[in-house]
Amino acid sequence: MAKTKNQVLAFDFGASSGRAIIGYLEDDKIKMEEVYRFSNDPVIVGKTMYWDTLRQYYEIKQGMLKAKQKGGFKSLGIDTWGVDFGLLDEHGVLLENAVHYRDDRTIGMQEEAFEKIPKEEIYHLTGNQFENFNTVFQLYALVKKRPWLLERAETLLLTPDLFNYFLTGKKKAEYTMATTTQLMDAKKKVWSEEILSALQIPQHILADIVPSGTEIGEISDDICEELGLEKAKVVSVASHDTQSAVVAVPTQKEDFLFISCGTWSLFGTELEEPIINEDSLKYNVSNEGGYGETTTLLKNIIGLWLVQESRRQWMREGVEYGFGELEEMAAKVKPFESFIDPDAPEFNSTGNIPKRIQQFCARTGQKIPETVGDVVCCINQSLALKYRYTLEQIEACTKKKYPEIHMIGGGIQSALLCQMTASANNKKVIAGPIEATALGNIAVQLMALGEIENLKRAREIIRNSENTKEYTPQNTKQWEEAYCKFKEIIIHN
Ligand SMILES: C[C@H](O)[C@H](O)[C@@H](O)C(=O)CO
């Protein structure tokens, strides 16, 4: 097969870093090359935690320049974490930097919102899990605390849509990203007037929703001139990073389980229609939109944020550990000594996570993890067991059993976590690809350019393109005992 020249450029923004990756199709494989990597650091001003929005846009321009040096690109696509947004005034000017989803402004907002519209009604309309950081509660915090900002706002654009606007001048809301807001009617696939009016959130600021894979426009003449670029398309990929990763699950099966493993762990399955019922509400399971208007039934689990933030704490204390080093130290200690609920509220915000883990263990009458290895082992085994806990909830909602788990994303570089996940869930784990999100971003662009027919074909090509590693369950009897202890802690915490 002739070498195609349809090179595309993917920007994948994670909560702690971002990458620019060029990709193209060759001999039935997607070939990728990372051309630029940059950190993505929140900035605290006063009591507010902001994203450095203009810096993030600067990094996009740097990435485009790097890609130009590598032969240029026919189109680009941007994916980011969910829920966060920028507000534009009537002149299309950004009113302020986007606020970070870990900012405290949403604390207590759920309870206040439920006085205006019942929790059950919000869930039955959106099918989204309840999390403080959901866009609906960020906006309700503005309604309550900074109404003047909303009055000045003409348009709200979620993070990838904001950058697409900066590049093309077009204001659109990509479907998968819109479904992270808890403002969208999951069945009608439109903004929910019921929720918006109940919470006095102005509907006019929300942009029109477009399907993933939509060509938003072309990079503006000004930017092409500024950077010396050829014209290129801007494609609204499955711009919620989790959904780009799900595109890249290397399976041909209809029913499959995945864990997208990074700062967050997103554990779920792909469906044709949302599951919104008493069970899914009870378990606070989320229905998020996927590529091709599929539904991804998933739960957020605080993932390797616990290791990332602990590592930052140890750096503040003067010792910089590599992730590989932390893994080795954790693998050397005696397992099953202590467990945490990774999603306990005290682990959500930045700060001294190792100390909070020790306090959690003390409070629950467990052995206190003393060493760095103890802490990282406690985190990994607790994550693996929280995956098990979540698996049972997903299976209860779908009424299906799954023989294996696909683990994808940067977090699978932790062989310890992958092995513990296989053993704790007593299921085979198929780990890979690592760069699932970027691969999914590139695959959607190649589908938009007509290079790949559909999602099924994209997954087949991705399976040909990337190696996976399998982990089989070990010591399952010990893990069963550990799971009983873990459930006790969760239930009584
Ligand atoms: C807030 C999280 O970013 C979001 O829920 C999650 O889905 C995500 O986007 C992880 O990157």
Side-chain angles (χ1 to χ4, degrees):
M1 181 182 288
K3 180 173 179 342
T4 67
K5 279 311 248 178
N6 269 344
Q7 202 162 264
V8 301
L9 176 57
F11 284 95
D12 173 30
F13 279 84
S16 51
S17 66
R19 284 158 302 281
I21 295 178
I22 50 176
Y24 56 89
L25 204 51
E26 185 179 82
D27 306 331
D28 257 3
K29 290 187 165 112
I30 292 179
K31 296 288 171 67
M32 292 197 298
E33 181 184 350
E34 179 180 296
V35 294
Y36 188 53
R37 174 180 285 265
F38 50 92
S39 68
N40 185 20
D41 309 302
V43 184
I44 295 175
V45 181
K47 294 206 173 312
T48 300
M49 180 188 273
Y50 291 97
W51 288 110
D52 196 344
T53 306
L54 298 188
R55 178 74 193 184
Q56 292 165 340
Y57 184 51
Y58 166 85
E59 301 293 13
I60 289 173
K61 289 186 173 180
Q62 297 312 301
M64 291 197 282
L65 287 171
K66 300 286 184 190
K68 183 175 94 177
Q69 292 158 11
K70 294 280 182 178
F73 48 94
K74 279 267 187 301
S75 70
L76 74 82
I78 300 168
D79 69 71
T80 78
W81 65 95
V83 302
D84 290 341
F85 57 89
L87 294 170
L88 306 176
D89 69 11
E90 73 272 23
H91 308 293
V93 175
L94 187 64
L95 282 167
E96 65 170 17
N97 277 290
V99 173
H100 193 294
Y101 63 81
R102 287 188 199 277
D103 182 80
D104 291 341
R105 66 178 176 172
T106 54
I107 291 175
M109 281 304 114
Q110 292 193 48
E111 294 68 27
E112 291 198 32
F114 299 155
E115 287 161 21
K116 299 291 183 186
I117 177 168
K119 177 178 184 174
E120 294 69 22
E121 191 176 340
I122 295 177
Y123 188 79
H124 285 291
L125 285 163
T126 64
N128 282 154
Q129 66 197 335
F130 290 94
E131 297 274 4
N132 279 350
F133 53 63
N134 290 349
T135 315
V136 60
F137 303 122
Q138 295 193 40
L139 283 170
Y140 197 51
L142 293 180
V143 168
K144 304 289 286 184
K145 303 172 186 172
R146 303 174 69 205
W148 58 89
L149 186 67
L150 273 183
E151 280 147 27
R152 289 184 56 207
E154 178 65 30
T155 315
L156 175 150
L157 291 173
L158 295 154
T159 312
D161 303 321
L162 181 65
F163 295 135
N164 289 347
Y165 163 70
F166 287 164
L167 292 167
T168 66
K170 302 285 175 35
K171 301 169 182 169
K172 296 294 181 190
E174 186 272 324
Y175 171 71
T176 67
M177 201 63 193
T179 67
T180 69
T181 60
Q182 202 160 32
L183 287 169
M184 217 183 87
D185 185 310
K187 295 201 176 88
K188 297 180 189 157
K189 300 188 186 334
V190 295
W191 299 117
S192 165
E193 285 175 25
E194 295 91 333
I195 296 173
L196 292 163
S197 54
L199 300 179
Q200 300 163 294
I201 296 168
Q203 176 147 6
H204 77 266
I205 66 175
L206 297 171
D208 296 343
I209 298 168
V210 294
S212 321
T214 299
E215 187 189 313
I216 291 289
E218 290 194 316
I219 298 176
S220 69
D221 295 344
D222 294 351
I223 296 167
C224 288
E225 194 182 326
E226 176 194 347
L227 303 178
L229 289 175
E230 281 176 32
K231 272 288 191 188
K233 301 171 192 286
V234 174
V235 173
S236 218
V237 293
S239 65
H240 177 205
D241 56 4
T242 303
Q243 298 307 328
S244 279
V246 172
V247 166
V249 174
T251 182
Q252 292 297 288
K253 293 186 177 164
E254 295 293 315
D255 296 327
F256 61 89
L257 281 176
F258 68 85
I259 305 176
S260 177
C261 214
T263 298
W264 286 88
S265 291
L266 295 310
F267 193 152
T269 186
E270 185 172 79
L271 305 170
E272 288 188 0
E273 291 301 326
I275 293 180
I276 302 177
N277 57 32
E278 294 322 303
D279 278 344
S280 62
L281 172 58
K282 180 174 72 182
Y283 297 133
N284 197 28
V285 172
S286 204
N287 293 269
E288 291 184 357
Y291 178 79
E293 298 204 346
T294 55
T295 291
T296 304
L297 187 78
L298 60 76
K299 285 199 76 164
N300 274 51
I301 298 163
I302 283 192
L304 293 168
W305 152 261
L306 293 169
V307 176
Q308 294 166 353
E309 195 57 15
S310 297
R311 183 170 170 271
R312 279 189 279 269
Q313 176 60 33
W314 291 317
M315 276 162 77
R316 286 190 284 267
E317 294 166 4
V319 188
E320 182 164 359
Y321 296 102
F323 286 104
E325 208 180 340
L326 293 173
E327 171 110 343
E328 280 162 29
M329 295 160 87
K332 287 199 187 100
V333 305
K334 187 166 176 284
F336 312 128
E337 294 280 279
S338 46
F339 306 97
I340 57 166
D341 174 5
D343 299 303
E346 61 259 50
F347 299 129
N348 192 36
S349 54
T350 58
N352 192 339
I353 294 287
K355 187 163 171 223
R356 293 179 202 161
I357 289 174
Q358 291 165 338
Q359 289 165 338
F360 183 101
C361 293
R363 193 176 77 240
T364 51
Q366 299 180 78
K367 180 173 179 298
I368 295 171
E370 296 298 346
T371 68
V372 167
D374 289 339
V375 169
V376 178
C377 178
C378 174
I379 292 171
N380 280 297
Q381 63 194 18
S382 301
L383 278 176
L385 291 165
K386 190 65 185 272
Y387 294 159
R388 164 81 178 268
Y389 190 77
T390 307
L391 167 70
E392 291 176 355
Q393 296 177 336
I394 298 279
E395 289 186 332
C397 292
T398 62
K399 310 270 183 285
K400 291 180 179 164
K401 292 291 181 194
Y402 305 84
E404 64 215 6
I405 301 173
H406 284 273
M407 286 182 80
I408 55 178
I412 67 168
Q413 294 167 93
S414 167
L416 183 69
L417 180 60
C418 295
Q419 182 56 62
M420 285 183 165
T421 301
S423 304
N425 290 274
N426 198 6
K427 289 182 191 294
K428 178 170 75 176
V429 160
I430 302 166
I434 291 172
E435 287 290 358
T437 307
L439 262 171
N441 180 322
I442 290 164
V444 170
Q445 291 188 64
L446 292 173
M447 284 192 264
L449 292 174
E451 291 263 324
I452 298 178
E453 301 90 296
N454 54 37
L455 180 58
K456 190 169 172 49
R457 180 76 184 114
R459 286 179 172 153
E460 192 179 350
I461 289 170
I462 287 168
R463 203 163 64 166
N464 299 339
S465 309
E466 298 282 322
N467 297 327
T468 56
K469 185 172 179 201
E470 296 196 354
Y471 297 83
T472 50
Q474 297 168 355
N475 315 321
T476 48
K477 186 167 172 306
Q478 283 174 300
W479 277 96
E480 274 313 307
E481 289 158 12
Y483 186 48
C484 296
K485 261 204 237 166
F486 178 79
K487 278 196 287 186
E488 280 304 304
I489 290 159
I490 290 242
I491 294 160
H492 295 106
N493 176 43

